[in-house]
Amino acid sequence: MRNQILFIILFTTSFIFSACDKTKAPEACGPVPSENQLRWQEMEYYAFIHFSLNTYTDQSWGYGNEDVKLFNPDSLDCRQWARICKEAGMKGVILVAKHHCGFCFWPTETTEYSVKNAPWKNGKGDVVREMADACKEYGLKLGIYVSPWDRNSPEYGKLEYITIFRNQIKEVLTNYGDVFEIWFDGANGGNGYYGGANETRKIDRTTYYDWQPTYKMIRELQPNIVIWNDGGDRADLRWVGTEGGSVGETNWSLLNATGDVPYEMLHYGVENGDSWVPGEVNTSIRPEWFYHPSEDGRVKTLPQLMDTYYHSIGRNGTFLLNFPIMPNGLIHPSDEKAALDLAQAVKDAFAANLANNEKAEASNVRGNSRKFNASKAIDDNKETYWATDDSVTTATLTIDFGLPTSLNRFMAQEYIRLGQRVKSFTVEANVEGEWKEIANGTTIGYKRILRFPTVEAAQLRFNITGSKACPLIANIGVYHAPQILPAPSIIRNQLGEIKIVPYDKESEMYYTTDGTEPTIHSNKYSAPFSTEGKIEVRAIACEPESGKCSPVAHEKFDIVRKDWKILGTNDEKAYRIIDGDPNTDWLQDKNEKMPVDLVIDLGKEEDLIGFKYLPSQTQWAGGVITLYKFFVSKNQKEWSMVSDGEFSNINNNPVWQTKNFEPVKARYIKFQALRNAWWNNDARYAEIDIVTP
Ligand code: FUL
């Protein structure tokens, strides 16, 4: 009874207090998100599905001349895709309904190049319909990718194509229920089939698509949609300048509505931008977007995917993870396992918020009001927030755990309905009575997560050290996540020496060269070792104390490049391209005009069946070769061309490019760059290698 009376008194006083509390909420600071953008941001994690005719030709970009008859998957099952996405904790799926090759996954009226002329389901199939139905069944939202670039359409490059393209958008946004996001890729590579013309068609991406009427139509058809566009007028969401799986540590959800947007701006946003254009981190679960059997062993590991989680959702972005569909129409079991392992690891990492229900005190509370006090940052309610007085832009919030508590993750969320404000912050821990800084960051935005080595702290202090206006903190989380050991990297230098490099110095490494999985009973790595010829190396890093080991790193090396000579240059730096280290590169003489030749003497005649090119791994370094010819010779006088073509999507996704050709014997190779991604004369290489039988 006494308890009940106490409760009634407390309840009534707090009710009277808040009713009388006239403290005003802060004014918005700068641009703010729309309801559609907010809803989208809260989804956090969703899937991409890449599947098209080029799945059957092992290409990254179809040319537009692939036969529709190739599309006949025997087990296509959108319910399998949706089930995996749901179990992986995703909130939606963006289906590539038309990629650059122009093949439409729905029976469109705009072209014959669609499922209606494919043998699959006797031309009666509709992948978009099946995806929409599966999404409904599994409680997922549907998104759609329609490529603006169309390498099949004879009209591409002409005005007529814009009507065709708009009609395609209209069809997919009219016939399949609610669509949460539409995706317009920015690739306009130039050359294509174009109804048989087989030519290069260059368009001006800033004007050709005439986006504004298209945006208007989209918003009329789907009032709740968000538009992603990397190819033209600024829309609701932005690309983050890389497909590698990260947005900048500093990440403003702001951009300017007009003017140039270099990669850096896409990556970091613009502090004083005039529009709310948040970043979406898109990356694939394998190196490439479409399925390639050669990548079955290259599915990203748990530590890699976890890094992407922290570098997207943990940096004020969303995470769009791609599943490449196999020719049979299903997601590969290894991809499924990787996604489910990630879901479990995320659950484990954020299982308990140690800040919830603890004591929190703030250095300043807006109008000393209960409505805005420190407890509002640890109540797990994103609609309430801790706020300071308008004049205050630096402030501290202290959480008292009572007892020393193990922690290694810190999460903060701003109340972004009123704009993004925080510019810098630090986190301190009280360890045995002494305060020490354990982490720091710049922007926060919708969500920021910092990782740091485990500490035992009785108290934690969150210091906002810079803010555009009074900070508004909706939520703080403190966690103790299990450690996940990243796989080591394996490098072979020009002499054939193998080096295994751990992620941190304390782990011990074990390896095999006989194709078996390494364990702590395999060879222990202590120093680089010499190898000859082709070899496969597998390695793990293990923590001596816990006995925990990383996933297996696996590298296949071809013949040793010991006797190779790079001809036609005296620049010693040229040897970086055969030093085995992906992080070093060489920019060939800038004065050369395309085509630029790179000639290598292999030292002796070799049997060749292909070559490999790795572009620079330094972000936005330029010189990424997109069109090439490859020649071989026995004597450096007569050359025969054994391969020519394009490295599709290499600029956005600078992964190893392998090109195979008919077996040939040669001592000299010539890699000729015909064009780079920026149509200038730079040719830059991180690595060049050959493939032998
Ligand atoms: C890129 C495209 O060119 C790729 O093929 C892929 O669709 C990716 C998501 O966007 O830029």
Side-chain angles (χ1 to χ4, degrees):
M1 187 64 185
R2 262 188 50 199
N3 278 353
Q4 271 169 332
I5 294 172
L6 199 67
F7 175 77
I8 292 167
I9 295 172
L10 277 174
F11 182 79
T12 329
T13 36
S14 81
F15 180 77
I16 294 169
F17 258 118
S18 19
C20 301
D21 190 344
K22 294 274 179 302
T23 310
K24 279 212 182 98
E27 301 276 311
C29 159
V32 295
S34 66
E35 285 303 315
N36 291 0
Q37 287 168 318
L38 271 176
R39 214 178 313 110
W40 161 86
Q41 185 104 44
E42 284 169 6
M43 286 174 68
E44 293 194 0
Y45 184 33
Y46 41 94
F48 234 161
I49 297 282
H50 274 69
F51 185 28
S52 190
L53 288 180
N54 40 308
T55 304
Y56 298 89
T57 53
D58 207 11
Q59 287 165 296
S60 305
W61 285 351
Y63 191 69
N65 62 349
E66 293 74 29
D67 191 347
V68 281
K69 299 280 175 292
L70 288 172
F71 194 73
N72 196 16
D74 54 25
S75 319
L76 195 159
D77 183 5
C78 294
R79 296 181 67 248
Q80 186 236 17
W81 313 348
R83 173 187 58 76
I84 293 170
C85 294
K86 187 70 184 182
E87 287 174 8
M90 296 166 157
K91 299 289 175 350
V93 180
I94 302 181
L95 173 70
V96 174
K98 180 187 96 166
H99 201 252
H100 312 329
C101 72
F103 179 67
C104 294
F105 258 175
W106 74 101
T108 175
E109 283 176 14
T110 61
T111 169
E112 293 304 302
Y113 204 49
S114 88
V115 277
K116 74 180 175 206
N117 289 313
W120 179 62
K121 299 200 165 172
N122 292 321
K124 299 277 174 293
D126 181 342
V127 188
V128 182
R129 167 81 54 226
E130 294 193 10
M131 186 79 256
D133 290 347
C135 281
K136 227 175 252 146
E137 182 180 339
Y138 283 90
L140 296 163
K141 294 187 181 186
L142 174 70
I144 296 187
Y145 171 130
V146 189
S147 169
W149 184 26
D150 189 322
R151 297 174 107 181
N152 174 265
S153 174
E155 312 301 336
Y156 185 78
K158 305 180 201 153
L159 203 58
E160 287 79 356
Y161 173 72
I162 302 305
T163 310
I164 296 173
F165 179 48
R166 281 198 186 123
N167 286 337
Q168 293 178 341
I169 297 170
K170 192 167 179 186
E171 287 176 354
V172 294
L173 295 187
T174 308
N175 300 327
Y176 302 95
D178 289 344
V179 174
F180 82 95
E181 176 169 343
I182 188 150
W183 226 84
F184 298 124
D185 189 67
N188 288 294
N191 51 329
Y193 172 70
Y194 304 128
N198 288 309
E199 60 189 13
T200 296
R201 293 190 182 169
K202 237 185 140 180
I203 53 100
D204 177 353
R205 51 193 256 158
T206 58
T207 53
Y208 176 59
Y209 296 106
D210 186 20
W211 285 110
Q212 291 310 323
T214 308
Y215 287 177
K216 187 162 174 275
M217 174 189 84
I218 292 172
R219 294 195 199 284
E220 275 163 17
L221 294 171
Q222 296 277 345
N224 295 329
I225 205 165
V226 279
I227 304 172
W228 187 100
N229 195 342
D230 168 47
D233 295 10
R234 224 80 80 231
D236 300 321
L237 310 176
R238 70 172 208 269
W239 183 45
V240 295
T242 166
E243 291 174 357
S246 73
V247 64
E249 269 192 81
T250 296
N251 177 18
W252 293 100
S253 290
L254 306 176
L255 218 56
N256 287 322
T258 52
D260 239 15
V261 191
Y263 284 112
E264 283 82 356
M265 278 191 189
L266 291 170
H267 203 58
Y268 302 109
V270 175
E271 182 174 335
N272 292 313
D274 60 21
S275 309
W276 188 272
V277 192
E280 173 187 81
V281 176
N282 65 315
T283 197
S284 186
I285 199 155
R286 293 166 175 236
E288 299 244 18
W289 294 98
F290 284 92
Y291 177 80
H292 306 284
S294 60
E295 290 186 346
D296 282 351
R298 295 248 159 233
V299 179
K300 290 183 183 163
T301 61
L302 177 62
Q304 286 173 314
L305 291 171
M306 203 66 202
D307 272 350
T308 299
Y309 180 90
Y310 285 111
H311 295 165
S312 55
I313 296 170
R315 288 185 182 171
N316 186 32
T318 58
F319 183 4
L320 170 52
L321 180 64
N322 177 63
F323 292 108
I325 303 299
M326 294 188 287
N328 67 359
L330 294 171
I331 292 177
H332 192 283
S334 308
D335 303 29
E336 170 175 1
K337 182 173 182 312
L340 299 187
D341 286 353
L342 172 65
Q344 190 55 50
V346 170
K347 247 193 216 143
D348 294 346
F350 302 103
N353 183 350
L354 306 170
N356 269 0
N357 300 320
E358 297 298 344
K359 273 192 253 139
E361 261 178 41
S363 58
N364 178 287
V365 170
R366 188 172 187 80
N368 285 322
S369 154
R370 280 171 176 236
K371 266 199 306 203
F372 300 110
N373 70 13
S375 71
K376 299 295 183 284
I378 53 167
D379 62 358
D380 216 8
N381 178 353
K382 62 181 183 340
E383 299 310 325
T384 63
Y385 52 92
W386 161 51
T388 66
D389 290 321
D390 280 340
S391 56
V392 174
T393 53
T394 59
T396 290
L397 186 140
T398 309
I399 300 167
D400 194 343
F401 302 111
L403 289 169
T405 305
S406 299
L407 35 111
N408 56 16
R409 301 286 182 274
F410 175 80
M411 186 277 294
Q413 294 190 279
E414 285 187 77
Y415 184 72
I416 56 169
R417 270 178 193 282
L418 295 175
Q420 189 183 350
R421 300 160 177 245
V422 175
K423 295 206 282 193
S424 59
F425 66 97
T426 66
V427 183
E428 291 173 295
N430 190 338
V431 182
E432 291 171 357
E434 242 177 77
W435 284 105
K436 58 175 193 183
E437 185 175 314
I438 49 173
N440 58 60
T442 51
T443 52
I444 294 178
Y446 171 72
K447 189 181 265 188
R448 180 84 167 97
I449 309 173
L450 296 183
R451 291 183 279 186
F452 46 87
T454 305
V455 286
E456 294 269 325
Q459 289 173 310
L460 182 129
R461 202 146 71 183
F462 167 44
N463 307 307
I464 295 167
T465 50
S467 183
K468 286 167 82 174
C470 61
L472 316 181
I473 303 300
N475 271 315
I476 285 175
V478 178
Y479 308 90
H480 186 214
Q483 290 296 68
I484 299 175
L485 277 180
S489 48
I490 309 168
I491 285 172
R492 179 161 81 166
N493 71 12
Q494 201 193 339
L495 300 174
E497 281 170 358
I498 303 266
K499 207 169 151 188
I500 306 179
V501 191
Y503 177 78
D504 68 69
K505 289 192 201 92
E506 278 146 50
S507 35
E508 289 174 346
M509 290 174 299
Y510 302 89
Y511 69 94
T512 63
T513 53
D514 60 1
T516 59
E517 291 290 285
T519 67
I520 48 166
H521 305 296
S522 310
N523 303 312
K524 188 167 177 185
Y525 177 82
S526 52
F529 56 94
S530 297
T531 57
E532 298 282 343
K534 287 186 151 199
I535 192 164
E536 281 193 40
V537 185
R538 290 176 169 78
I540 48 173
C542 301
E543 217 177 43
E545 269 179 28
S546 65
K548 265 194 186 176
C549 293
S550 73
V552 179
H554 177 197
E555 290 296 343
K556 280 187 191 174
F557 300 102
D558 214 290
I559 57 168
V560 167
R561 296 178 282 185
K562 199 160 37 196
D563 301 321
W564 288 25
K565 294 218 164 42
I566 298 168
L567 305 180
T569 176
N570 296 323
D571 188 354
E572 273 302 304
K573 291 193 203 104
Y575 283 85
R576 290 177 184 169
I577 73 176
I578 50 173
D579 68 357
D581 184 350
N583 298 316
T584 60
D585 65 39
W586 178 54
L587 175 64
Q588 205 167 352
D589 187 355
K590 276 200 158 240
N591 300 321
E592 296 239 15
K593 287 259 175 299
M594 292 273 175
V596 174
D597 290 348
L598 171 73
V599 182
I600 299 178
D601 175 1
L602 307 177
K604 66 178 182 28
E605 209 165 275
E606 301 283 2
D607 290 309
L608 305 179
I609 55 162
F611 80 97
K612 291 166 77 177
Y613 165 53
L614 182 73
S616 173
Q617 299 298 289
T618 307
Q619 244 172 10
W620 320 309
V624 176
I625 299 162
T626 53
L627 285 187
Y628 75 94
K629 284 190 173 147
F630 194 83
F631 304 83
V632 296
S633 168
K634 290 189 170 177
N635 50 23
Q636 250 203 103
K637 285 189 198 96
E638 292 113 48
W639 291 94
S640 25
M641 190 177 81
V642 286
S643 173
D644 72 329
E646 73 178 17
F647 301 120
S648 324
N649 201 34
I650 186 175
N651 192 44
N652 287 357
N653 193 20
V655 295
W656 272 107
Q657 309 288 315
T658 305
K659 297 287 179 182
N660 292 313
F661 43 76
E662 290 300 313
V664 63
K665 278 189 190 308
R667 169 163 175 176
Y668 300 92
I669 57 172
K670 178 157 72 186
F671 177 41
Q672 187 173 75
L674 301 177
R675 189 188 291 162
N676 73 18
W678 294 99
W679 300 57
N680 63 29
N681 291 306
D682 291 354
R684 196 186 277 272
Y685 322 78
E687 287 291 306
I688 293 288
D689 210 346
I690 52 162
V691 187
T692 66

